[in-house]
Amino acid sequence: MPELRKRGTVKVGILFGGASEEHAVSVKSAREVAKHLDPAKYEPVWVRITPEGGWRWCDGPDADDGAKAVLSPDRGDHGLLVDGRGPVRLDVVLPVLHGRFGEDGAVQGLLELSGIPYVGCDVPSSALAMDKSLAYTVARAAGIGTPEFRVLTDDEKLDGLTWPLFVKPARSGSSFGVSKIEHPDELPDAVRAARRFDSKVLVEAAVAGREVGCAVLGDDPDLIVGELDRVALSHGFFRIHQEETPETGSENATFVVPADLSDVSRALVRRTATTVYRALGCRGLARVDLFLTDAGTVVLNEVNTLPGLTSYSRYPRMMAAAGLPLPAVLDRLITLALAR
C-alpha cells in the first residue's frame, strides 16, 4: 500500500533512543521535538532505537513500539523498510541521538549510504568531535588552547601532567565514566570507571576557569551564535544528565543565560567557538563548551554535535535567549539539511 502524505508537508524521519548510555536523554530530547515540530510543515515518522540496538516504528516518543523498521541503504528506497508496510519514503532525517552510534558518525554513515538528507554534522566532523583527543589535536592546530592531556597507554604513566586530573572515556558524553582524581592511588578505579564506556581513556589536567558554553547553528560561512551561558557549580563537576530529576534543577549546577561576562570575554568566547566549529568541519548545529580562565584565555572543553534538546538542556536555552525558540531552530535545521 503506498505511503500517504499530508499535503504540502515534509516527511521527517526522527531517530531517537539509541544503544548508548545516553538513551534516556535522547528520549527526553525527542519529547521536546514532538512538542515543537510545526505540524503544518512537517510530518514526523518516529523510529525508536532500543538500548539493545533494535529499530522500531512507533507513533511518538512515548508510544508503544510497533513493527521492525530499518533504514534502507538502497538509495532507490530513500527511506525506511517497515515490516508489514513496505518502503516508507523520507524527505529528511532528524537524528535525535546522543553519544555512541548517534553522535559519533555511525548513523551518519548509514544516512550517507541511504542518500537521505539529514540534520547535523557529517561523518568526519561527528567522529572528530566525539573523540576528545582528536578534537583537541585539531583545535590545537587551529591555534585554540586545550587542556594538557594524555591518551592512556598500558604503562599508565602520567609524567608531565599537573594534578588534579580528570579521567574520562575519550568517546562518551554527559560525564558518563568521568572521575576527578587528586592522587595516583585513585587512578586504577577511575580507569575502570572510564573503560565501562570506552576502551580509549583520556587523562587531562583540570583547567581553572569558568565553564561557558556557546550554541552554534548553521553551515559555514553563515553561522548563528546563540547567547552564551555559564555553568555555576556549587561543588564537583557538571553531570546533570546522570541526576534523577534534572527537570526540577541540577544538584550542583545553575545556568546563567546570558552569561555574566564582559564584552571582551564574550567576543573572545564566540570567536573561539566558531573557530572550533569550522576547524572540525561542523555543520547544522553544535554546542562548544569552553573554559574562560582568570587570565582571560579560552580553553576548549568539548564539542557536542547533537546537543541535548530536553526541557533543561543548554543549547535550546541559549538559542531561545538569542531570539530563536526551539520551533524556529528545528525549522532552520531541517531547511539546511534539505538545501544541501
Side-chain angles (χ1 to χ4, degrees), residues 2-195:
E3 187 67 24
L4 299 179
R5 175 196 304 274
K6 296 177 185 176
R7 181 173 295 177
T9 58
V10 173
K11 188 163 283 192
V12 184
I14 302 177
L15 309 179
F16 71 100
S20 86
E21 59 274 12
E22 298 188 67
H23 178 98
V25 182
S26 171
V27 174
K28 292 179 181 181
S29 290
R31 288 175 184 147
E32 294 303 305
V33 171
K35 291 177 187 176
H36 295 287
L37 194 67
D38 185 352
K41 297 178 69 173
Y42 304 112
E43 182 181 351
V45 177
W46 297 92
V47 177
R48 181 197 310 274
I49 302 175
T50 70
E52 296 75 32
W55 289 42
R56 300 291 182 268
W57 172 283
C58 59
D59 290 328
D62 295 304
D64 292 336
D65 290 346
K68 288 185 178 181
V70 295
L71 192 66
S72 174
D74 188 326
R75 293 189 172 210
D77 293 325
H78 208 269
L80 297 164
L81 302 179
V82 183
D83 279 2
R85 299 179 66 102
V88 176
R89 187 172 179 83
L90 302 174
D91 296 311
V92 64
V93 167
L94 171 58
V96 188
L97 297 164
H98 312 309
R100 292 179 301 166
F101 310 121
E103 202 170 352
D104 59 0
V107 77
Q108 288 78 11
L110 182 56
L111 288 162
E112 292 283 354
L113 287 173
S114 74
I116 306 171
Y118 60 93
V119 167
C121 291
D122 61 7
V123 176
S125 56
S126 296
L128 276 175
M130 188 69 180
D131 188 320
K132 296 175 182 65
S133 66
L134 297 181
Y136 288 164
T137 301
V138 172
R140 285 181 173 184
I144 304 301
T146 75
E148 302 173 69
F149 74 95
R150 302 281 188 278
V151 174
L152 200 66
T153 57
D154 290 338
D155 59 13
E156 299 186 349
K157 290 182 180 178
L158 303 177
D159 297 342
L161 292 180
T162 304
W163 293 75
L165 302 175
F166 280 96
V167 181
K168 57 181 67 174
R171 299 163 294 196
S172 185
S174 295
S175 298
F176 285 96
V178 177
S179 303
K180 184 178 182 180
I181 61 174
E182 306 278 351
H183 191 273
D185 291 346
E186 300 172 279
L187 181 62
D189 286 343
V191 171
R192 279 191 289 271
R195 283 186 172 148

Side-chain angles (χ1 to χ4, degrees), residues 210-216 224-231 255-275 288 290-293 295-299 317-319 321-322:
R210 289 169 285 178
E211 186 172 348
V212 295
C214 187
V216 185
I224 297 171
V225 179
E227 282 287 355
L228 307 181
D229 78 351
R230 180 174 68 84
V231 182
F255 307 97
V256 181
V257 186
D260 46 357
L261 305 175
S262 69
D263 290 344
V264 171
S265 294
R266 186 184 305 276
L268 175 61
V269 169
R270 290 165 64 95
R271 187 167 63 250
T272 303
T274 53
T275 298
V288 182
L290 303 153
F291 294 107
L292 180 63
T293 71
T297 60
V298 173
V299 178
R317 191 176 301 183
M318 287 188 274
M319 280 297 173

